Amino acid sequence: MDMVPRMGVEGGMVVAAQPGDRIEAGSLAGAAGDPRAFDDLIGPLVETGYRLALAMLRDRDAAEDVLQEASLKAWRRLRQLRDGRSVRPWFLMIVSNECRRHRRARWARVIRLPQVPERACPEPAVDGLQLRQALAELPASDRMPLALFFYLDLPMEEVAQVLGVSPTAARARVYRAVRRLRLQVQEEDPA
Amino acid sequence: VKDEPRDSIKAAFEAELAESPPPADLRRRVIDHPFEPGEPTMVPWKILAAVASVLLAAAISGTLLVWHLNAAPAGDRRQPPVATTPTATSTPSPSPSATPSPTPPASSPAPSPEPTAVPVQGSGMARCDVNDLRLSRGTVGAAAGNVAFDFIFTNVSGSTCYLYGFPGMQMMDSAGKPLLPTPSRNGGQVIADNVPHRVDLAPGATASFTVGSVDPGVVQGGCPVSASVVVTPPDSYNHFTIPASIADCANPYGPYISPVVAGSQGDHR
């Protein structure tokens, strides 16, 4: 993890986020109100946030909108992030809440349609295609733990923080989602 | 939880990502959002808070002074009001600002000593939503088979609000059914600038965006043409519906949509 030199002021240390790292926030007094420090703190998490939002919403534009809203809320709530708490699950929890809010919105329910792929992709193997279809048909409440644990590689403690549940409950939700995914695949391919 | 399905689940999510990759400048778009130019800094906010607190304290003192004057017996009206209260000093000033308050002010004039980030809404500037806006069609320009449709937002509210980013658009056919694809935010021959900028809209001011498409006659086999479009202002879940005939072809013919820009001239080349 890289130190951010200008944040190394008295009592104010913020560790820059690196993909895959567990990010710790030192004293955040310097980051609140400082756009550059905010960029250092949240910027490296933007792509992870996009991956989560896309996994939840399956819509590129909606994922970007949600991420912008999450960034704005993170900026407003940065002071609520206490020292010693990890930044990544905190930010991803904001993203997941925004995804839920987006899905609840009437616009999303009535109008949103799956996007046509922008680029041609290699035809996936049959197994992969079935799995993708099964994954797409899972409810968002099951896609979320799968995305957090298997796709974003978050440790179970962070999955729990993002979901707002205990680690034991988070583990159970991942189990349950995997079981439903398997059932879904079997339904699509009884043979 | 066993890791057995990890690779296959990850591959499935990655395949979805490959179909909808993030914009190359996603980080800048997302992180710059809260700090667009025009964002009030914390200094004016603190000054305003301090001034408001001082005025509030002065108002409370003045109110109490008047209350004491009215409450005193008629014969005492010429006496300094502070003399009737046990906590008053002997300073016989009738001026509320010079009279010590018999009770502490309700709020301290000193703002929080900690640096405070000022959110957009905290500054009093709100995002424009459909209740603040009127949507109208602007000019339609065509060249070399490309067609640019401008749409104009006008602030019809009584206060300044702002727009930032891309509007949402869904094209509908004459039966009211949605057409695919939805406009893309990246590329096209028509859009001049794909970079979002914050646009502050004073009452009566306008902002606009452009939808780039093609003359459906230039596409072999033709394209469906919308009868109306559903438009959501940026970051809103509410929408307008407005008649518009726009060809809804697949890439690379568009449609493409621009971010909101200031003025009514759209964002086309």
Side-chain angles (χ1 to χ4, degrees):
Chain A
M1 292 192 289
D2 296 328
M3 304 294 288
V4 180
R6 67 174 176 282
M7 296 308 300
V9 294
E10 186 177 331
M13 181 187 74
V14 172
V15 180
Q18 299 293 327
D21 273 1
R22 186 178 172 84
I23 309 135
E24 297 297 334
S27 168
L28 291 163
D34 180 347
R36 291 183 64 198
F38 182 78
D39 187 6
D40 287 337
L41 196 67
I42 301 298
L45 297 171
V46 165
E47 189 183 332
T48 307
Y50 177 83
R51 285 168 178 257
L52 178 61
L54 186 69
M56 289 300 94
L57 303 172
R58 308 185 66 237
D59 182 300
R60 176 182 176 166
D61 294 344
E64 186 181 334
D65 287 347
V66 156
L67 213 53
Q68 281 190 346
E69 193 64 29
S71 169
L72 189 61
K73 289 196 170 161
W75 165 251
R76 291 176 187 162
R77 298 175 186 170
L78 195 56
R79 194 160 295 283
Q80 298 174 4
L81 183 59
R82 290 184 294 276
D83 282 3
R85 189 172 170 190
S86 295
V87 177
R88 184 168 63 182
W90 174 77
F91 180 66
L92 293 182
M93 186 169 67
I94 296 176
V95 173
S96 69
N97 287 341
E98 283 306 307
C99 287
R100 276 192 282 271
R101 181 170 165 268
H102 184 92
R103 291 174 59 83
R104 279 198 303 267
R106 180 173 174 273
W107 167 257
R109 288 204 310 271
V110 175
I111 297 293
R112 284 289 181 195
L113 294 170
Q115 277 189 324
V116 172
E118 276 198 11
R119 60 173 67 166
C121 293
E123 195 64 31
V126 174
D127 286 350
L129 193 63
Q130 285 172 344
L131 183 64
R132 279 188 60 190
Q133 196 168 344
L135 197 59
E137 289 170 3
L138 281 183
S141 55
D142 284 337
R143 286 171 64 88
M144 174 77 80
L146 293 177
L148 293 170
F149 187 69
F150 292 117
Y151 180 38
L152 303 182
D153 290 323
L154 263 59
M156 196 59 81
E157 293 75 21
E158 288 193 26
V159 174
Q161 288 179 51
V162 176
L163 296 176
V165 298
S166 69
T168 307
R171 190 177 299 272
R173 285 186 60 175
V174 173
Y175 264 128
R176 197 166 54 229
V178 170
R179 198 168 58 241
R180 284 181 180 152
L181 183 63
R182 284 196 173 121
L183 286 173
Q184 196 76 36
V185 171
Q186 286 166 5
E187 276 180 19
E188 287 171 10
D189 182 22
Chain B
V1 178
K2 291 179 183 175
D3 275 357
E4 174 211 337
R6 179 179 294 273
D7 290 344
S8 48
I9 291 175
K10 183 178 283 194
F13 279 120
E14 290 285 1
E16 288 186 350
L17 182 70
E19 288 182 357
S20 303
D25 57 347
L26 177 68
R27 176 169 171 166
R28 192 189 54 73
R29 287 189 191 186
V30 168
I31 295 295
D32 283 358
H33 189 183
F35 319 119
E36 277 292 298
E39 191 70 16
T41 64
M42 65 181 178
V43 174
W45 182 86
K46 280 192 166 185
I47 292 171
L48 281 175
V51 169
S53 299
V54 169
L55 289 176
L56 181 64
I60 290 172
S61 300
T63 303
L64 288 170
L65 176 68
V66 171
W67 182 79
H68 279 299
L69 279 172
N70 290 337
D76 292 340
R77 285 272 169 95
R78 285 171 289 177
Q79 297 294 324
V82 291
T84 63
T85 61
T87 56
T89 67
S90 59
T91 309
S93 169
S95 164
S97 60
T99 304
S101 172
T103 56
S107 65
S108 165
S112 165
E114 292 183 310
T116 306
V118 177
V120 172
Q121 289 181 345
S123 68
M125 175 92 72
R127 269 184 231 144
C128 306
D129 210 330
V130 292
N131 291 333
D132 309 310
L133 299 169
R134 182 179 66 233
L135 178 67
S136 56
R137 287 186 300 183
T139 58
V140 178
N146 293 303
V147 187
F149 300 84
D150 291 341
F151 291 84
I152 302 168
F153 288 120
T154 304
N155 181 0
V156 294
S157 76
S159 55
T160 301
C161 57
Y162 77 93
L163 291 168
Y164 176 89
F166 292 83
M169 176 173 281
Q170 174 66 62
M171 298 181 184
M172 315 295 276
D173 67 12
S174 56
K177 292 183 178 173
L179 297 173
L180 284 176
T182 53
S184 167
R185 297 180 181 183
N186 297 285
Q189 302 293 316
V190 171
I191 307 301
D193 181 9
N194 272 312
V195 179
H197 299 285
R198 173 169 157 163
V199 179
D200 291 347
L201 278 183
T206 57
S208 54
F209 65 95
T210 296
V211 175
S213 185
V214 293
D215 178 345
V218 305
V219 181
Q220 191 173 10
C223 297
V225 176
S226 68
S228 63
V229 293
V230 176
V231 176
T232 50
D235 295 321
S236 171
Y237 295 118
N238 303 308
H239 61 269
F240 297 96
T241 302
I242 187 169
S245 299
I246 303 175
D248 195 7
C249 311
N251 286 336
Y253 302 108
Y256 299 98
I257 194 166
S258 81
V260 171
V261 297
S264 58
Q265 300 304 306
D267 184 25
H268 51 77
R269 297 181 194 277

